[in-house]
Amino acid sequence: ARVSWEGQVTFLLASVFLVVVVIFYFFAPPAAALVYNVFGQQAIGAGNAAEAELYLESAARLDPDPHAAALLEVGCLYQTLGAPDRAQNVFERVLEADSRLLLARYHLAELYSDRGEHDKALQLLEDGLNLLETGRTRMSIGEADFLPGIDTETRADQIEYLLRLARGRAYLESSAPEQAKGNLRDAEAFFNLIADEWALGLPSRNDTQLAPERMNLACGQDDSLEPFIINTEMNLHYHLARTYDALCDDDATVIAAREEWRLVRNGRPTSSRQEAWRDDAVTRLSSGMTCADAYGLAGAPTPTATPDSEPTPVG
């Protein structure tokens, strides 16, 4: 049958409309998410956390992969600005958008521990370590895209260090020093590996001062984690010192506790919290005693006290 020109035009218009709908369906949300992400990154650069949250949450809602990772940076910005409640809310939404973001699990678990919600922190970290184990297995068979931002064994080691460190702290504050010791000793092994690798090509680590801009929270998928990890060294030794104090069951543990307190005393604080830890170490070591007699400090905190409280030196 002969087709009229009107029918041909109608068919062509219908075809164009269908193509436009398909393009809009598949490409408009990612394109809009990209625009929101650009505005969000500009807001982060200006230190405007609320504006960045608005843009980046919209981006993550339209296209969770990879924009949920950008929203993670907003949570860290809130932490830097001293707004832990807002940071916690953002980190929780990040994990709702993409539960594979293990760096979000670390930061959120630390906030839970600050609040004394150790069970929630431990569950979060346990799930994270299971995900990391799966990611390592898939990397070994050439599938390096299972976990966002973790595509090498080095990056996996860095994330496992942070998860083990946070888990050790949570166990310690849950009055489970043996479990804390196991996780913190594992974290210590990862820390030494990471620090040694990072120090290659740099001056002596003891002579290396980190620039202030490199001491902030590591949040972006492309951020170098080494500077942030190096600045958690005092956290590691402090939690180990308190763990050995909680055990304090033989001469070897007593010696280990004093050695960890020495490392805390000789550390380089990068926050008021770490400065308080160093003052605590100075006070304990100046007594000349040991964990067996609470370092001779009247009213010394019990071994299961929250390590992240800021102690008041006694005497």
Side-chain angles (χ1 to χ4, degrees):
R2 186 175 180 180
V3 179
S4 67
W5 69 269
E6 293 93 340
Q8 292 177 344
V9 170
T10 301
F11 178 77
L12 179 61
L13 290 175
S15 299
V16 170
F17 179 76
L18 179 61
V19 170
V20 170
V21 169
V22 170
I23 291 175
F24 182 82
Y25 181 82
F26 285 103
F27 294 103
L34 184 60
V35 172
Y36 281 132
N37 183 66
V38 170
F39 287 136
Q41 292 299 329
Q42 290 176 342
I44 287 177
N48 191 331
E51 183 179 337
E53 180 182 1
L54 178 65
Y55 284 126
L56 292 174
E57 184 177 14
S58 297
R61 188 167 55 248
L62 289 170
D63 187 14
D65 189 10
H67 297 296
L71 185 59
L72 172 60
E73 297 182 57
V74 178
C76 287
L77 179 57
Y78 275 129
Q79 281 188 280
T80 302
L81 295 175
D85 292 346
R86 299 292 296 272
Q88 177 177 322
N89 184 265
V90 170
F91 290 142
E92 288 171 344
R93 294 205 308 275
V94 167
L95 290 175
E96 287 176 5
D98 192 342
S99 62
R100 301 170 302 156
L101 289 167
L102 300 188
L103 202 53
R105 288 180 179 271
Y106 164 75
H107 289 304
L108 182 56
E110 285 289 272
L111 288 175
Y112 283 154
S113 289
D114 286 344
R115 292 175 173 275
E117 298 178 273
H118 305 303
D119 289 343
K120 292 175 70 173
L122 288 169
Q123 186 61 61
L124 196 68
L125 296 165
E126 178 69 20
D127 293 343
L129 286 166
N130 289 336
L131 279 169
L132 183 58
E133 183 178 358
T134 301
R136 287 186 187 275
T137 300
R138 295 181 70 160
M139 267 193 291
S140 68
I141 59 175
E143 298 178 14
D145 58 352
F146 175 67
L147 296 175
I150 305 176
D151 54 1
T152 65
E153 285 295 331
T154 296
R155 190 74 168 189
D157 289 346
Q158 294 169 351
I159 295 295
E160 183 156 358
Y161 162 75
L162 292 172
L163 296 179
R164 293 283 179 188
L165 176 64
R167 195 181 188 210
R169 173 197 170 184
Y171 270 127
L172 173 61
E173 296 175 12
S174 300
S175 303
E178 284 291 353
Q179 291 91 329
K181 177 183 174 182
N183 280 274
L184 292 172
R185 290 296 299 271
D186 287 343
E188 186 176 33
F190 281 116
F191 178 87
N192 291 333
L193 177 65
I194 294 163
D196 288 343
E197 289 179 350
W198 187 64
L200 292 175
L202 293 175
S204 168
R205 201 170 115 220
N206 292 330
D207 298 331
T208 301
Q209 290 285 351
L210 297 178
E213 63 270 15
R214 303 186 73 186
M215 294 183 183
N216 60 354
L217 297 173
C219 281
Q221 279 185 255
D222 298 326
D223 287 351
S224 173
L225 286 178
E226 290 92 340
F228 175 68
I229 287 173
I230 295 302
N231 281 310
T232 65
E233 182 173 13
M234 188 178 286
N235 302 45
L236 174 62
H237 293 308
Y238 182 76
H239 297 324
L240 275 169
R242 296 301 300 271
T243 296
Y244 289 131
D245 277 355
L247 295 170
C248 201
D249 50 4
D250 55 31
D251 290 342
T253 306
V254 171
I255 293 170
R258 290 187 63 84
E259 180 57 29
E260 293 299 331
W261 283 117
R262 288 191 184 99
L263 291 170
V264 175
R265 179 193 61 190
N266 298 334
R268 293 173 175 168
T270 58
S271 67
S272 59
R273 178 179 289 186
Q274 290 185 346
E275 288 173 357
W277 293 347
R278 184 180 60 183
D279 293 342
D280 190 20
V282 169
T283 302
R284 290 168 184 272
L285 293 170
S286 65
S287 71
M289 299 183 182
T290 69
C291 61
D293 46 28
Y295 300 93
L297 302 178
T302 60
T304 56
T306 301
D308 284 327
S309 60
E310 294 190 356
T312 302
V314 180

